[in-house]
Amino acid sequence: MPMGGFGAAAPAAAPAPVEEEEAAPAAQEKTLFTLTLKSFEPTAKPKIIKEIKSMLGLSLVDSKKFVESAPKQMKEGIPKDECEKIIETMKALGGVVVME
């Protein structure tokens, strides 16, 4: 009989940790976001390149290639506050950045 009681208790205990594990990533997804450069105005290209260069620490040539290959992921695992600041900066320069 103890084996039957033990077998019934184990499945009941197993789903509880699974639910906790599922809840933790959901909370993390809400606080950390990925920024993607979707597009930019052709006249704003030099400004966007300079901003990408300073923001990502790339060389001028790499920044130009990065901007020209849009849509492209800029940063990931960024807090919402910082994402909003970057989006506003890029929007003011003529770029379209999406927070995912």
Side-chain angles (χ1 to χ4, degrees), residues 17-92:
V18 172
E19 291 175 14
E20 291 175 16
E21 290 175 11
E22 290 175 5
Q28 186 178 18
E29 289 175 23
K30 292 179 184 177
T31 58
L32 299 177
F33 297 91
T34 300
L35 288 177
T36 305
L37 175 65
K38 290 290 183 182
S39 62
F40 56 91
E41 295 175 16
T43 57
K45 186 176 174 181
K47 295 176 188 175
I48 300 292
I49 291 171
K50 287 179 182 177
E51 185 63 29
I52 292 292
K53 181 180 183 281
S54 67
M55 190 182 308
L56 302 180
L58 300 173
S59 69
L60 185 60
V61 173
D62 289 339
S63 298
K64 183 176 184 272
K65 289 178 183 177
F66 183 94
V67 170
E68 290 173 344
S69 65
K72 190 159 183 169
Q73 181 178 331
M74 293 170 51
K75 289 187 167 190
E76 60 183 316
I78 306 297
K80 187 175 183 177
D81 296 342
E82 189 176 337
C83 287
E84 291 172 349
K85 289 177 187 175
I86 292 170
I87 290 171
E88 288 301 316
T89 302
M90 296 300 280
K91 185 177 179 181

